[in-house]
Amino acid sequence: GHHGEGEEDDGTGDLLAEGQARVRWFSRAASGKLVQGSPVIESTKNLELVERAMLHHDIVAHRDDPLGQSGFVSSVAVECSVRFTLSGKVINGVNARSLRPLHPLRPGVYAVHGKWLGKVEEALDHVIVLWDDGSVCRMLDADPLYLLPHGASALSLAVDGESTYFPGVRVRVETGIRAL
């Protein structure tokens, strides 16, 4: 059968009738890993597309004239509503390009290095501390049991489970620690 650009050939070669879609359902195995099922043909009346973002090179048409002129997505601008953790104040319409995640590389996230694609297995916190007297100390694999976040801002962000440290957080060293 003939397949359109970007359509994956699943080996069946079957053309779909209007109102049908070939779907691969995913399920979660007991191990927690996602498992892809075999392709099945579903009626589009039984399917609903929920929370799908437009991606570069998606083919699109106006919803009032779906068989009319079509084009492809060449740029995507995402606006966000940002809530400040301490005050609860919300700012709407923030361009996503101006935002940066606190912890972009964390276990389970996919990362690219050159031509390699991999999954982050472990991420260590290397913290650079600027002390009140102006001295600087680099702490490799900082331990939150000894280098404690200090203040309300640290506590509000520590609940994300990813890391206790972020730029600007105040810290203190637990006293009574003996060097080995």
Side-chain angles (χ1 to χ4, degrees), residues 64-144:
D64 294 337
D65 188 13
L67 298 177
Q69 185 176 3
S70 64
F72 68 93
V73 176
S74 62
S75 179
V76 177
V78 177
E79 289 188 353
C80 301
S81 296
V82 178
R83 181 179 56 84
F84 290 90
T85 56
L86 291 179
S87 68
K89 180 181 176 183
V90 176
I91 297 178
N92 295 311
V94 177
N95 187 325
R97 291 182 178 152
S98 67
L99 300 174
R100 214 172 33 139
L102 283 176
H103 311 289
L105 295 177
R106 60 188 185 278
V109 170
Y110 288 93
V112 176
H113 178 71
K115 294 182 180 180
W116 293 55
L117 171 67
K119 190 173 184 180
V120 176
E121 294 292 324
E122 181 180 31
L124 304 175
D125 289 318
H126 298 317
V127 179
I128 299 173
V129 178
L130 172 63
W131 299 103
D132 291 335
D133 66 1
S135 60
V136 176
C137 176
R138 176 178 230 164
M139 303 179 139
L140 302 179
D141 193 14
D143 187 339

Side-chain angles (χ1 to χ4, degrees), residues 161-173:
E162 294 174 14
S163 176
T164 306
Y165 310 109
F166 56 91
V169 69
R170 295 189 62 82
V171 294
R172 68 180 176 84
V173 176

